[in-house]
Amino acid sequence: MKKHLNTLFVTTQGAWLAKEGETVAVKVGGKVRLQLPIHTLDGIVCFGQVSCSPFLMGFCAERDVCISFLTENGRFLARVQGPVSGNVLLRREQYRWADDPERSAAIARAVIIGKLVNSRKVLHRVVRDHPDKVDTVSVKQAMDRLKAILMHVRVGTSLDRLRGYEGEGAMIYFRVFDHLILNRKKEFFFEGRSRRPPLDRVNCLLSFFYTLLMHDVRSALECTGLDPAVGFLHRDRPGRPGLALDLMEEFRPYFADRLALSLVNLGQVKSKGFRKAETGAVLMDDDTRKAVLVAYQKRKQDVVTHPFLQKKMPIGLLFHTQALLLARHVRGDLDGYPVFCWQ
Amino acid sequence: MFVLVSYDVSTTDKAGRRRLRRVAKVCKNYGQRVQFSVFECLVDPAQWTVMRQQLVDEIDPETDSLRFYYLGSNWKRRVEHVGAKPGVDQEGLLLV
């Protein structure tokens, strides 16, 4: 099984990444700041004004190391991909499935069930652990409604209706999301999901985590040979990684939302670490971004037991495992896609 | 697994200096330089076999020496650093 490796984040403006032998060298002002053998890396994420030599890009493509370019604030810009490789037969099967409404619906259903179950679990945990601090009644109501939607999703429905349920579920979940913030409510509040740009601090954190999560999920799909651009729940659109978005759904509440909440609730991010731009967008400063990245990487190393495989693994490997299970399903080795449900 | 590689290459003649450079190059490809001729390498067994052979082929056994310290996968509690040139934890957060 593929080992879960580290991701290199480059946030220093004006840095230059180059290939030296079999290593990645990060140079700032002509001086080598960090030099790492490529086999210790899984991905490279560059923030803002960071350049990369074409030879390094080629080398990374060859060694399955994904390079993503993000703006300083974490908006995704581009990704470097080498010559298309991987399993042609698997890809072709994936395209056939994506064209088949029934099969697409089956996978979409699994993905949505995963998302709803995990969302519900997030709410459940908060009610269980802090019954005195949260508005238990409204959170429990939301949990009941999510359960009702789950019942609808379970029976066979068309893709469009599934999308409707997914949207409704997300709306219910985000409506009570503000209750989950337990500390410093004046500074950290959540009025509703806003993106492009995020309008408050919590949305800013969520958007940032979703971008990082997408980088990871996408490279996991890439590694298994699936095409991250062709999704089942998310339809094709140029430049949109549909399948990566599909696979991300089950991890959003479990991984990104919970991480954002714990950063806020444990006081690991300060309200001063955010600033408001003229457009109304809320942005993080450098120190906050660093703290958030540290938390993200650390969280990925936490070990959990995979509910389907009954094996212990770091959270970072879950993305690869789920991608692999999806590939097995598409290939016909598994009867269904076992979505990751938090236990 | 974690291997500490240290070498001593005789640099009295030109060929020796060439060997030194080439040994350092191989080490750099697999690990992190922590002191002038000491490298810490985080490798899997297959990578280690290749790297070891490359190093052995590079040196002249009459004059040069290589020492490998196998620290296993639970190496973190076996390594302590004091003073300048702190190494980067290759499994920790990599942020520049």
Side-chain angles (χ1 to χ4, degrees), chain A residues 63-331:
Chain A
R63 296 297 194 91
D64 278 338
V65 176
C66 180
I67 309 181
S68 290
F69 292 94
L70 275 53
T71 67
E72 243 188 295
N73 297 312
R75 194 166 56 82
F76 180 82
L77 291 174
R79 180 179 58 99
V80 175
Q81 191 189 17
V84 175
S85 61
N87 193 334
V88 190
L89 300 174
L90 179 67
R91 271 173 199 261
R92 231 178 224 277
E93 197 61 32
Q94 181 193 350
Y95 299 150
R96 280 191 203 113
W97 282 36
D99 285 336
D100 180 344
E102 246 171 62
R103 287 203 153 134
S104 296
I107 295 181
R109 188 180 308 128
V111 165
I112 293 170
I113 287 176
K115 183 182 187 181
L116 292 173
V117 166
N118 289 338
S119 304
R120 202 169 162 271
K121 197 87 194 183
V122 169
L123 301 181
H124 178 80
R125 276 287 165 109
V126 175
V127 172
R128 192 194 70 186
D129 294 346
H130 307 281
D132 45 330
K133 282 190 190 160
V134 292
D135 180 357
T136 327
V137 180
S138 51
V139 175
K140 275 205 173 136
Q141 245 171 19
M143 277 165 60
D144 289 342
R145 288 188 60 193
L146 285 178
K147 198 170 190 178
I149 295 176
L150 261 172
M151 292 303 180
H152 286 297
V153 173
R154 257 181 216 155
V155 292
T157 31
S158 71
L159 256 174
D160 281 335
R161 290 190 60 188
L162 281 171
R163 287 194 188 106
Y165 289 132
E166 195 248 317
E168 200 184 337
M171 201 181 67
I172 293 166
Y173 170 71
F174 277 127
R175 201 178 279 157
V176 293
F177 196 73
D178 188 45
H179 294 305
L180 310 188
I181 300 164
L182 305 171
N183 291 327
R184 296 175 298 150
K185 285 228 163 201
K186 276 203 186 102
E187 292 138 15
F188 290 95
F189 48 82
F190 184 86
E191 276 172 350
R193 182 83 182 105
S194 58
R195 58 214 182 97
R196 284 183 226 145
L199 297 174
D200 56 51
R201 298 186 177 101
V202 178
N203 272 304
C204 175
L205 279 176
L206 286 180
S207 293
F208 192 68
F209 281 138
Y210 291 159
T211 312
L212 294 177
L213 190 59
M214 203 177 72
H215 170 90
D216 284 342
V217 169
R218 184 172 199 160
S219 45
L221 286 168
E222 208 88 56
C223 291
T224 54
L226 288 166
D227 188 340
V230 179
F232 299 107
L233 173 64
H234 293 86
R235 286 285 96 182
D236 298 355
R237 195 191 291 163
R240 181 160 83 165
L243 191 61
L245 293 169
D246 284 1
L247 198 67
M248 234 176 95
E249 293 294 357
E250 63 213 70
F251 294 115
R252 277 177 205 252
Y254 169 71
F255 188 71
D257 298 358
R258 273 196 334 138
L259 190 55
L261 283 173
S262 60
L263 280 179
V264 171
N265 287 339
L266 298 176
Q268 282 167 314
V269 289
K270 303 270 176 283
S271 61
K272 271 184 275 174
F274 297 83
R275 65 186 169 78
K276 208 163 186 118
E278 284 102 41
T279 48
V282 173
L283 307 170
M284 286 184 236
D285 68 12
D286 291 344
D287 288 343
T288 310
R289 190 176 311 122
K290 197 171 163 186
V292 167
L293 283 173
V294 172
Y296 182 86
Q297 280 304 93
K298 229 179 153 174
R299 193 70 225 290
K300 275 207 298 192
Q301 288 171 356
D302 288 352
V303 177
V304 292
T305 305
H306 192 282
F308 181 73
L309 300 174
Q310 288 298 329
K311 246 181 138 171
K312 279 193 176 171
M313 57 179 70
I315 289 180
L317 199 59
L318 283 178
F319 313 140
H320 289 276
T321 315
Q322 288 305 111
L324 203 72
L325 291 172
L326 183 60
R328 281 196 193 154
H329 174 44
V330 172
R331 210 180 286 141

Side-chain angles (χ1 to χ4, degrees), chain B residues 10-95:
Chain B
S10 163
T11 52
T12 44
D13 57 348
K14 215 176 166 189
R17 287 192 285 276
R18 177 185 146 87
R19 286 201 305 276
L20 178 74
R21 278 199 308 277
R22 292 178 62 109
V23 167
K25 208 174 204 171
V26 173
C27 289
K28 253 190 205 166
N29 284 346
Y30 289 93
Q32 181 194 186
R33 179 171 238 150
V34 284
Q35 281 172 356
F36 283 120
S37 40
V38 179
F39 281 83
E40 289 178 354
C41 306
L42 210 53
V43 283
D44 63 27
Q47 287 163 342
W48 171 246
T49 317
V50 176
M51 177 189 178
R52 188 182 170 282
Q53 197 53 48
Q54 282 176 357
L55 286 173
V56 170
D57 291 345
E58 224 46 90
I59 61 156
D60 174 6
E62 296 290 308
T63 54
D64 312 336
S65 75
L66 284 168
R67 284 185 89 83
F68 307 133
Y69 301 85
Y70 302 97
L71 295 170
S73 51
N74 195 5
W75 53 273
K76 270 187 187 143
R77 57 188 182 85
R78 300 203 176 102
V79 180
E80 189 188 336
H81 181 93
V82 179
K85 291 195 198 171
V88 179
D89 178 7
Q90 295 181 34
E91 284 174 323
L93 176 80
L94 299 172
L95 181 79

